[in-house]
Amino acid sequence: MLPGAGGSRPGGSGGGGGGSAAGTPGTLTSLLGEGSKRLPQAAGAGPEMLPGAGGSRPGGSGGGGGGSAAGTPGTLTSLLGEGSKRLPQAVIIGVKKGGTRALLEFLRVHPDVRAVGAEPHFFDRNYERGLAWYRDLMPRTLEGQITMEKTPSYFVTKEAPARISSMSKGTKLIVVVRDPVTRAISDYTQTLSKKPDIPTFESLTFKNRTTGLIDTSWSAIQIGIYAKHLENWLLYFPIGQILFVSGERLISDPAGELGRVQDFLGLKRIITDKHFYFNKTKGFPCLKKAEGSSKPHCLGKTKGRTHPDIDQEVVQRLRDFYRPFNMKFYQMTGQDFGWD
Ligand SMILES: Nc1ncnc2c1ncn2[C@@H]1O[C@H](COP(=O)(O)OS(=O)(=O)O)[C@@H](OP(=O)(O)O)[C@H]1O
């Protein structure tokens, strides 16, 4: 276990939550080889503070830019105090390090999407503040515009499905998933960037290196058991109300994935391959024009970090560990993410 792995924040209950979800099927429980176990504090999950955190941007509503269906640009809308703050109709619930920021930034280009910039962490850490507090974080929208937010820790928060369902049973949920092994390494890389003295990835992976027993209580490992977390959501939402976005394809074919997302949200397909270019220096797709700007825009330097080299034997051991859970996840979602 990583002692106090990164993520503890004052007043925060953290992205933890989810021990074994009520109703975890016997197969998953036995695959894990254990009974209920608390998911520790998500490692190193600091809030992403975008400029104008809290949803606002200078002169903007956090939506900014883009004309609405009625033709009023978002920034003008908020300056005029037009429109109203609404609870989100769609939420990106995970997964941590899946590519959630990229998806939200790309979606914000759409004139009918308005999103809060920072992660509200309402359904995990701030729930006691109430829905009025949550709504107040949201940008103003006009009829026909969709309000969105992203907080990746919701996916692994045991209470989140019931809470989101009680806000609105019709909330559309989006999960960006990524190969759980790469995701774990990405998660560790983030923690390492904040706490350079932590033990190696290899030593944190195992409860006992000699026997090869994996420490499933380490959040970097635990978060990637997608099938287990999904069980918890399916107690409250039909599978058709959850869209699974491939984190890998979001990089290799952003326009293709954005096409699926726009369809799911009932939006006109406005974001297309014309909006993206591949930035060789960054090594990732970037926007030709960011929302509310005429300049090209790549994500910041905390996105697309160089990962440390991990012992290939350990990587292989993790691949073997995740395989049955991945298969189960493919079966549950009807999608093969090609992680093996
Ligand atoms: N276009 C583009 N630009 C930069 N980065 C991109 C992009 N698309 C996906 N990604 C991947 O997003 C990973 C970070 O995921 P999240 O934004 O979900 O992280 S977080 O949970 O909000 O911290 C991040 O992980 P790392 O590469 O490990 O840093 C990226 O691989």
Side-chain angles (χ1 to χ4, degrees):
M1 236 329 270
L2 175 60
S8 179
R9 270 189 269 169
S13 66
S20 74
T24 302
T27 40
L28 282 177
T29 312
S30 57
L31 281 170
L32 273 167
E34 60 189 34
S36 105
K37 182 167 225 170
R38 291 215 28 101
L39 179 68
Q41 186 80 43
E48 291 180 343
M49 301 311 272
L50 291 180
S56 306
R57 288 183 170 182
S61 63
S68 72
T72 311
T75 33
L76 191 56
T77 305
S78 57
L79 282 171
L80 291 171
E82 280 178 32
S84 44
K85 294 184 175 195
R86 291 166 231 256
L87 291 167
Q89 296 90 8
V91 180
I92 300 173
I93 56 172
V95 300
K96 185 183 175 199
K97 306 320 290 178
T100 57
R101 176 57 62 192
L103 178 60
L104 193 68
E105 288 303 293
F106 297 165
L107 265 177
R108 291 173 101 174
V109 170
H110 200 292
D112 291 335
V113 173
R114 291 285 167 267
V116 53
E119 295 175 5
H121 281 278
F122 177 63
F123 297 105
D124 56 347
R125 297 177 191 156
N126 293 308
Y127 195 62
E128 69 292 346
R129 293 179 192 252
L131 281 170
W133 175 87
Y134 185 47
R135 181 172 33 227
D136 201 48
L137 292 180
M138 301 297 152
R140 290 183 184 280
T141 50
L142 296 171
E143 279 301 312
Q145 290 184 315
I146 296 178
T147 303
M148 291 190 71
E149 68 118 322
K150 79 112 176 165
T151 303
S153 48
Y154 292 161
F155 190 61
V156 299
T157 298
K158 198 179 166 210
E159 301 82 6
R163 290 173 174 180
I164 296 184
S165 171
S166 90
M167 171 182 74
S168 168
K169 278 175 71 171
T171 311
K172 292 186 181 183
L173 307 174
I174 301 178
V175 194
V176 188
V177 287
R178 178 182 187 186
D179 179 336
V181 180
T182 330
R183 197 219 68 80
I185 298 170
S186 171
D187 201 335
Y188 172 80
T189 307
Q190 173 167 291
T191 309
L192 191 65
S193 73
K194 294 174 185 170
K195 296 187 168 187
D197 295 338
I198 57 168
T200 62
F201 180 89
E202 289 85 345
S203 60
L204 289 167
T205 295
F206 296 104
K207 263 196 182 131
N208 181 330
R209 179 103 195 230
T210 322
T211 61
L213 188 64
I214 289 188
D215 188 351
T216 55
S217 70
W218 183 27
S219 67
I221 305 281
Q222 170 81 254
I223 292 170
I225 308 172
Y226 303 142
K228 177 177 169 283
H229 303 298
L230 181 57
E231 293 282 357
N232 199 24
W233 289 88
L234 294 180
L235 300 174
Y236 294 88
F237 292 93
I239 191 87
Q241 216 167 303
I242 312 176
L243 182 75
F244 300 91
V245 171
S246 156
E248 286 81 15
R249 280 202 298 274
L250 192 60
I251 296 170
S252 63
D253 178 19
E257 283 306 275
L258 265 288
R260 293 180 61 234
V261 178
Q262 290 171 95
D263 291 349
F264 174 73
L265 295 175
L267 294 166
K268 200 173 155 195
R269 281 195 178 210
I270 286 178
I271 308 166
T272 66
D273 50 2
K274 293 188 182 63
H275 286 85
F276 302 98
Y277 74 100
F278 188 82
N279 184 308
K280 280 192 193 144
T281 319
K282 175 86 183 160
F284 284 91
C286 298
L287 286 167
K288 284 185 187 160
K289 286 181 193 171
E291 175 236 19
S293 149
S294 56
K295 289 192 194 140
H297 172 67
C298 292
L299 299 194
K301 59 180 188 307
T302 62
K303 304 295 176 183
R305 292 181 172 110
T306 306
H307 296 175
D309 281 334
I310 306 298
D311 182 338
Q312 281 311 301
E313 248 182 58
V314 175
V315 170
Q316 194 50 51
R317 178 70 191 87
L318 275 176
R319 295 219 165 284
D320 295 342
F321 167 77
Y322 279 120
R323 189 166 301 108
F325 298 110
N326 289 346
M327 294 305 141
K328 174 82 182 158
F329 184 67
Y330 298 171
Q331 199 184 54
M332 292 167 87
T333 59
Q335 278 173 255
D336 180 342
F337 291 91
W339 294 322
D340 290 283

